[in-house]
Short mmCIF file of all heavy atoms in Angstrom, two decimals:
data_model
loop_
_atom_site.label_atom_id
_atom_site.label_comp_id
_atom_site.label_asym_id
_atom_site.label_seq_id
_atom_site.Cartn_x
_atom_site.Cartn_y
_atom_site.Cartn_z
N ARG T 1 -67.73 -187.09 -233.87
CA ARG T 1 -68.18 -187.67 -232.61
C ARG T 1 -68.92 -188.99 -232.80
O ARG T 1 -68.83 -189.89 -231.96
CB ARG T 1 -69.11 -186.69 -231.88
CG ARG T 1 -68.47 -185.35 -231.57
CD ARG T 1 -69.38 -184.49 -230.68
NE ARG T 1 -70.65 -184.18 -231.32
CZ ARG T 1 -71.84 -184.50 -230.80
NH1 ARG T 1 -71.91 -185.15 -229.66
NH2 ARG T 1 -72.97 -184.16 -231.43
N PHE T 2 -69.66 -189.12 -233.87
CA PHE T 2 -70.44 -190.33 -234.13
C PHE T 2 -69.85 -191.08 -235.32
O PHE T 2 -69.32 -190.46 -236.26
CB PHE T 2 -71.89 -189.98 -234.47
CG PHE T 2 -72.72 -189.42 -233.35
CD1 PHE T 2 -72.16 -188.99 -232.16
CD2 PHE T 2 -74.09 -189.31 -233.50
CE1 PHE T 2 -72.92 -188.47 -231.13
CE2 PHE T 2 -74.89 -188.79 -232.51
CZ PHE T 2 -74.30 -188.36 -231.32
N THR T 3 -69.97 -192.37 -235.28
CA THR T 3 -69.63 -193.20 -236.43
C THR T 3 -70.73 -194.23 -236.65
O THR T 3 -71.39 -194.66 -235.69
CB THR T 3 -68.29 -193.91 -236.25
OG1 THR T 3 -68.34 -194.70 -235.04
CG2 THR T 3 -67.14 -192.93 -236.16
N ILE T 4 -70.91 -194.61 -237.89
CA ILE T 4 -71.91 -195.61 -238.25
C ILE T 4 -71.21 -196.77 -238.93
O ILE T 4 -70.27 -196.56 -239.71
CB ILE T 4 -73.02 -194.99 -239.14
CG1 ILE T 4 -74.13 -196.01 -239.39
CG2 ILE T 4 -72.44 -194.44 -240.44
CD1 ILE T 4 -75.34 -195.40 -240.12
N SER T 5 -71.66 -197.96 -238.63
CA SER T 5 -71.06 -199.13 -239.26
C SER T 5 -72.15 -200.19 -239.45
O SER T 5 -73.20 -200.14 -238.80
CB SER T 5 -69.93 -199.69 -238.39
OG SER T 5 -70.42 -200.05 -237.11
N ARG T 6 -71.86 -201.12 -240.34
CA ARG T 6 -72.84 -202.16 -240.61
C ARG T 6 -72.19 -203.53 -240.59
O ARG T 6 -71.02 -203.67 -240.97
CB ARG T 6 -73.55 -201.92 -241.94
CG ARG T 6 -72.65 -201.91 -243.16
CD ARG T 6 -73.39 -201.38 -244.39
NE ARG T 6 -74.51 -202.26 -244.73
CZ ARG T 6 -75.60 -201.84 -245.36
NH1 ARG T 6 -75.75 -200.58 -245.70
NH2 ARG T 6 -76.55 -202.69 -245.65
N ASP T 7 -72.92 -204.52 -240.17
CA ASP T 7 -72.49 -205.91 -240.17
C ASP T 7 -73.55 -206.67 -240.96
O ASP T 7 -74.62 -207.00 -240.44
CB ASP T 7 -72.38 -206.42 -238.74
CG ASP T 7 -71.85 -207.84 -238.67
OD1 ASP T 7 -72.00 -208.60 -239.65
OD2 ASP T 7 -71.28 -208.21 -237.63
N ASN T 8 -73.23 -206.94 -242.21
CA ASN T 8 -74.22 -207.59 -243.09
C ASN T 8 -74.44 -209.06 -242.74
O ASN T 8 -75.44 -209.65 -243.17
CB ASN T 8 -73.79 -207.46 -244.54
CG ASN T 8 -73.87 -206.03 -245.04
OD1 ASN T 8 -74.66 -205.23 -244.56
ND2 ASN T 8 -73.04 -205.71 -246.01
N VAL T 9 -73.53 -209.64 -241.98
CA VAL T 9 -73.71 -211.03 -241.56
C VAL T 9 -74.72 -211.10 -240.43
O VAL T 9 -75.63 -211.94 -240.43
CB VAL T 9 -72.37 -211.65 -241.14
CG1 VAL T 9 -72.58 -213.03 -240.57
CG2 VAL T 9 -71.41 -211.68 -242.32
N ARG T 10 -74.55 -210.20 -239.47
CA ARG T 10 -75.47 -210.18 -238.32
C ARG T 10 -76.70 -209.32 -238.59
O ARG T 10 -77.56 -209.20 -237.72
CB ARG T 10 -74.74 -209.67 -237.09
CG ARG T 10 -73.66 -210.63 -236.57
CD ARG T 10 -73.00 -210.09 -235.32
NE ARG T 10 -72.10 -211.06 -234.72
CZ ARG T 10 -70.86 -211.26 -235.11
NH1 ARG T 10 -70.37 -210.56 -236.10
NH2 ARG T 10 -70.12 -212.17 -234.52
N ASN T 11 -76.76 -208.69 -239.75
CA ASN T 11 -77.89 -207.81 -240.10
C ASN T 11 -78.09 -206.71 -239.07
O ASN T 11 -79.20 -206.44 -238.61
CB ASN T 11 -79.18 -208.61 -240.26
CG ASN T 11 -79.47 -208.94 -241.71
OD1 ASN T 11 -78.58 -209.02 -242.53
ND2 ASN T 11 -80.73 -209.13 -242.04
N THR T 12 -76.99 -206.09 -238.67
CA THR T 12 -77.08 -205.00 -237.71
C THR T 12 -76.35 -203.77 -238.23
O THR T 12 -75.38 -203.88 -239.00
CB THR T 12 -76.49 -205.39 -236.35
OG1 THR T 12 -75.11 -205.74 -236.53
CG2 THR T 12 -77.23 -206.55 -235.74
N VAL T 13 -76.81 -202.64 -237.80
CA VAL T 13 -76.14 -201.38 -238.07
C VAL T 13 -75.97 -200.67 -236.73
O VAL T 13 -76.93 -200.58 -235.96
CB VAL T 13 -76.93 -200.50 -239.04
CG1 VAL T 13 -76.27 -199.13 -239.19
CG2 VAL T 13 -77.04 -201.19 -240.40
N SER T 14 -74.79 -200.20 -236.49
CA SER T 14 -74.49 -199.58 -235.19
C SER T 14 -74.19 -198.10 -235.34
O SER T 14 -73.68 -197.66 -236.38
CB SER T 14 -73.29 -200.27 -234.55
OG SER T 14 -73.58 -201.63 -234.29
N LEU T 15 -74.50 -197.38 -234.31
CA LEU T 15 -74.16 -195.96 -234.24
C LEU T 15 -73.35 -195.76 -232.96
O LEU T 15 -73.90 -195.85 -231.85
CB LEU T 15 -75.42 -195.10 -234.21
CG LEU T 15 -75.19 -193.58 -234.22
CD1 LEU T 15 -74.60 -193.15 -235.57
CD2 LEU T 15 -76.49 -192.83 -233.94
N GLN T 16 -72.07 -195.54 -233.12
CA GLN T 16 -71.19 -195.28 -231.98
C GLN T 16 -71.19 -193.78 -231.73
O GLN T 16 -70.84 -193.00 -232.61
CB GLN T 16 -69.78 -195.78 -232.26
CG GLN T 16 -68.80 -195.51 -231.13
CD GLN T 16 -69.12 -196.31 -229.88
OE1 GLN T 16 -69.26 -197.53 -229.93
NE2 GLN T 16 -69.25 -195.62 -228.75
N MET T 17 -71.57 -193.41 -230.52
CA MET T 17 -71.68 -191.99 -230.18
C MET T 17 -70.71 -191.67 -229.06
O MET T 17 -70.74 -192.31 -228.01
CB MET T 17 -73.11 -191.67 -229.74
CG MET T 17 -74.17 -192.10 -230.74
SD MET T 17 -75.83 -191.56 -230.31
CE MET T 17 -76.08 -192.50 -228.81
N LYS T 18 -69.85 -190.69 -229.30
CA LYS T 18 -68.88 -190.27 -228.30
C LYS T 18 -69.02 -188.78 -228.04
O LYS T 18 -69.64 -188.06 -228.82
CB LYS T 18 -67.46 -190.61 -228.77
CG LYS T 18 -67.21 -192.07 -228.99
CD LYS T 18 -65.78 -192.32 -229.47
CE LYS T 18 -65.52 -193.81 -229.70
NZ LYS T 18 -64.14 -194.07 -230.18
N SER T 19 -68.42 -188.34 -226.97
CA SER T 19 -68.45 -186.90 -226.62
C SER T 19 -69.88 -186.35 -226.69
O SER T 19 -70.13 -185.30 -227.29
CB SER T 19 -67.54 -186.11 -227.56
OG SER T 19 -66.21 -186.59 -227.49
N LEU T 20 -70.77 -187.08 -226.08
CA LEU T 20 -72.18 -186.70 -226.17
C LEU T 20 -72.45 -185.35 -225.50
O LEU T 20 -71.84 -185.02 -224.48
CB LEU T 20 -73.05 -187.80 -225.54
CG LEU T 20 -73.22 -189.02 -226.45
CD1 LEU T 20 -73.65 -190.24 -225.66
CD2 LEU T 20 -74.23 -188.71 -227.55
N LYS T 21 -73.37 -184.63 -226.12
CA LYS T 21 -73.74 -183.31 -225.64
C LYS T 21 -75.21 -183.32 -225.21
O LYS T 21 -75.98 -184.20 -225.60
CB LYS T 21 -73.55 -182.28 -226.75
CG LYS T 21 -72.15 -182.22 -227.32
CD LYS T 21 -72.07 -181.24 -228.48
CE LYS T 21 -70.67 -181.18 -229.08
NZ LYS T 21 -70.61 -180.23 -230.21
N LEU T 22 -75.57 -182.32 -224.44
CA LEU T 22 -76.96 -182.21 -224.00
C LEU T 22 -77.91 -182.22 -225.20
O LEU T 22 -78.99 -182.83 -225.14
CB LEU T 22 -77.16 -180.94 -223.19
CG LEU T 22 -76.38 -180.84 -221.88
CD1 LEU T 22 -76.61 -179.47 -221.24
CD2 LEU T 22 -76.79 -181.94 -220.92
N GLU T 23 -77.50 -181.55 -226.26
CA GLU T 23 -78.37 -181.44 -227.44
C GLU T 23 -78.49 -182.73 -228.24
O GLU T 23 -79.25 -182.79 -229.22
CB GLU T 23 -77.90 -180.30 -228.35
CG GLU T 23 -76.45 -180.37 -228.74
CD GLU T 23 -75.56 -179.50 -227.86
OE1 GLU T 23 -75.78 -179.48 -226.62
OE2 GLU T 23 -74.63 -178.88 -228.41
N ASP T 24 -77.76 -183.76 -227.87
CA ASP T 24 -77.91 -185.06 -228.51
C ASP T 24 -79.10 -185.84 -227.93
O ASP T 24 -79.45 -186.90 -228.44
CB ASP T 24 -76.64 -185.90 -228.36
CG ASP T 24 -75.46 -185.31 -229.12
OD1 ASP T 24 -75.66 -184.83 -230.25
OD2 ASP T 24 -74.35 -185.33 -228.57
N THR T 25 -79.68 -185.31 -226.87
CA THR T 25 -80.84 -185.97 -226.28
C THR T 25 -81.97 -186.04 -227.29
O THR T 25 -82.36 -185.03 -227.87
CB THR T 25 -81.31 -185.20 -225.03
OG1 THR T 25 -80.29 -185.27 -224.02
CG2 THR T 25 -82.60 -185.78 -224.49
N ALA T 26 -82.46 -187.24 -227.52
CA ALA T 26 -83.49 -187.45 -228.54
C ALA T 26 -83.89 -188.91 -228.54
O ALA T 26 -83.27 -189.75 -227.89
CB ALA T 26 -82.97 -187.06 -229.93
N ILE T 27 -84.95 -189.19 -229.28
CA ILE T 27 -85.26 -190.58 -229.62
C ILE T 27 -84.57 -190.85 -230.96
O ILE T 27 -84.74 -190.09 -231.92
CB ILE T 27 -86.78 -190.80 -229.74
CG1 ILE T 27 -87.48 -190.47 -228.42
CG2 ILE T 27 -87.05 -192.26 -230.12
CD1 ILE T 27 -88.98 -190.55 -228.50
N TYR T 28 -83.83 -191.93 -230.98
CA TYR T 28 -83.07 -192.30 -232.17
C TYR T 28 -83.78 -193.45 -232.89
O TYR T 28 -84.12 -194.46 -232.27
CB TYR T 28 -81.64 -192.70 -231.79
CG TYR T 28 -80.79 -191.50 -231.45
CD1 TYR T 28 -80.99 -190.80 -230.26
CD2 TYR T 28 -79.79 -191.05 -232.31
CE1 TYR T 28 -80.22 -189.69 -229.94
CE2 TYR T 28 -79.01 -189.95 -232.01
CZ TYR T 28 -79.24 -189.27 -230.82
OH TYR T 28 -78.48 -188.17 -230.51
N TYR T 29 -83.96 -193.26 -234.17
CA TYR T 29 -84.69 -194.23 -234.99
C TYR T 29 -83.79 -194.78 -236.09
O TYR T 29 -83.01 -194.04 -236.71
CB TYR T 29 -85.89 -193.57 -235.66
CG TYR T 29 -86.93 -193.04 -234.71
CD1 TYR T 29 -86.86 -191.72 -234.24
CD2 TYR T 29 -88.00 -193.83 -234.29
CE1 TYR T 29 -87.82 -191.22 -233.37
CE2 TYR T 29 -88.96 -193.33 -233.43
CZ TYR T 29 -88.86 -192.03 -232.97
OH TYR T 29 -89.83 -191.54 -232.12
N CYS T 30 -83.98 -196.04 -236.34
CA CYS T 30 -83.28 -196.71 -237.43
C CYS T 30 -84.23 -196.77 -238.63
O CYS T 30 -85.45 -196.97 -238.46
CB CYS T 30 -82.89 -198.11 -236.98
SG CYS T 30 -81.92 -199.05 -238.15
N ASN T 31 -83.67 -196.63 -239.81
CA ASN T 31 -84.48 -196.59 -241.03
C ASN T 31 -83.78 -197.32 -242.16
O ASN T 31 -82.56 -197.25 -242.30
CB ASN T 31 -84.71 -195.13 -241.44
CG ASN T 31 -85.24 -194.98 -242.85
OD1 ASN T 31 -84.47 -194.88 -243.80
ND2 ASN T 31 -86.55 -194.99 -242.98
N THR T 32 -84.56 -198.04 -242.95
CA THR T 32 -84.04 -198.58 -244.18
C THR T 32 -85.10 -198.48 -245.26
O THR T 32 -86.30 -198.33 -244.96
CB THR T 32 -83.53 -200.02 -244.00
OG1 THR T 32 -82.83 -200.42 -245.19
CG2 THR T 32 -84.68 -200.99 -243.76
N GLN T 33 -84.66 -198.58 -246.48
CA GLN T 33 -85.58 -198.40 -247.61
C GLN T 33 -85.32 -199.48 -248.64
O GLN T 33 -84.21 -200.00 -248.77
CB GLN T 33 -85.36 -197.03 -248.26
CG GLN T 33 -85.51 -195.86 -247.34
CD GLN T 33 -85.09 -194.56 -248.00
OE1 GLN T 33 -84.97 -194.48 -249.22
NE2 GLN T 33 -84.89 -193.55 -247.19
N GLY T 34 -86.36 -199.80 -249.38
CA GLY T 34 -86.22 -200.75 -250.47
C GLY T 34 -87.57 -201.21 -250.95
O GLY T 34 -88.57 -201.07 -250.24
N ARG T 35 -87.60 -201.79 -252.13
CA ARG T 35 -88.85 -202.28 -252.72
C ARG T 35 -89.90 -201.18 -252.73
O ARG T 35 -91.10 -201.45 -252.60
CB ARG T 35 -89.40 -203.49 -251.93
CG ARG T 35 -88.42 -204.58 -251.66
CD ARG T 35 -89.05 -205.61 -250.73
NE ARG T 35 -88.07 -206.50 -250.16
CZ ARG T 35 -88.32 -207.30 -249.13
NH1 ARG T 35 -89.51 -207.33 -248.59
NH2 ARG T 35 -87.36 -208.07 -248.64
N GLY T 36 -89.48 -199.92 -252.86
CA GLY T 36 -90.41 -198.81 -252.86
C GLY T 36 -91.01 -198.51 -251.51
O GLY T 36 -92.00 -197.76 -251.41
N GLN T 37 -90.44 -199.07 -250.46
CA GLN T 37 -90.98 -198.85 -249.12
C GLN T 37 -89.93 -198.25 -248.19
O GLN T 37 -88.75 -198.25 -248.49
CB GLN T 37 -91.47 -200.19 -248.53
CG GLN T 37 -92.58 -200.84 -249.33
CD GLN T 37 -93.09 -202.10 -248.65
OE1 GLN T 37 -93.69 -202.05 -247.57
NE2 GLN T 37 -92.86 -203.23 -249.27
N ASN T 38 -90.44 -197.79 -247.07
CA ASN T 38 -89.62 -197.13 -246.05
C ASN T 38 -89.97 -197.78 -244.73
O ASN T 38 -91.12 -197.81 -244.33
CB ASN T 38 -90.00 -195.65 -246.03
CG ASN T 38 -88.86 -194.76 -245.60
OD1 ASN T 38 -87.76 -195.21 -245.36
ND2 ASN T 38 -89.14 -193.47 -245.52
N TRP T 39 -88.96 -198.32 -244.05
CA TRP T 39 -89.22 -199.01 -242.79
C TRP T 39 -88.53 -198.31 -241.64
O TRP T 39 -87.38 -197.84 -241.77
CB TRP T 39 -88.74 -200.45 -242.85
CG TRP T 39 -89.49 -201.30 -243.82
CD1 TRP T 39 -90.74 -201.83 -243.67
CD2 TRP T 39 -89.02 -201.76 -245.09
NE1 TRP T 39 -91.09 -202.58 -244.77
CE2 TRP T 39 -90.05 -202.56 -245.66
CE3 TRP T 39 -87.83 -201.58 -245.81
CZ2 TRP T 39 -89.92 -203.17 -246.91
CZ3 TRP T 39 -87.70 -202.18 -247.04
CH2 TRP T 39 -88.74 -202.97 -247.59
N TRP T 40 -89.19 -198.30 -240.49
CA TRP T 40 -88.67 -197.65 -239.30
C TRP T 40 -88.76 -198.57 -238.10
O TRP T 40 -89.68 -199.38 -237.99
CB TRP T 40 -89.50 -196.39 -238.98
CG TRP T 40 -89.41 -195.31 -240.00
CD1 TRP T 40 -90.23 -195.15 -241.08
CD2 TRP T 40 -88.47 -194.25 -240.03
NE1 TRP T 40 -89.83 -194.04 -241.79
CE2 TRP T 40 -88.76 -193.47 -241.16
CE3 TRP T 40 -87.40 -193.88 -239.23
CZ2 TRP T 40 -88.02 -192.35 -241.51
CZ3 TRP T 40 -86.67 -192.75 -239.56
CH2 TRP T 40 -86.98 -191.99 -240.69
#
């Protein structure tokens, strides 16, 4: 139902969500890691 993709030129990461269900209701957070750190 979901797919993830990245565009390194535009520095974006997308989450395509289809066939959404009631239980998909949530706050969605993006995360990356590096240099020993975690960013949200």
Side-chain angles (χ1 to χ4, degrees):
R1 301 188 299 122
F2 291 12
T3 57
I4 186 172
S5 60
R6 61 192 297 153
D7 184 335
N8 291 333
V9 174
R10 292 182 173 82
N11 263 27
T12 60
V13 175
S14 298
L15 184 68
Q16 178 68 53
M17 306 187 294
K18 298 180 180 179
S19 302
L20 283 160
K21 303 176 181 180
L22 297 176
E23 53 264 41
D24 294 319
T25 295
I27 300 175
Y28 285 72
Y29 298 90
C30 184
N31 166 271
T32 190
Q33 304 172 16
R35 310 173 195 166
Q37 299 184 67
N38 209 2
W39 294 284
W40 295 90

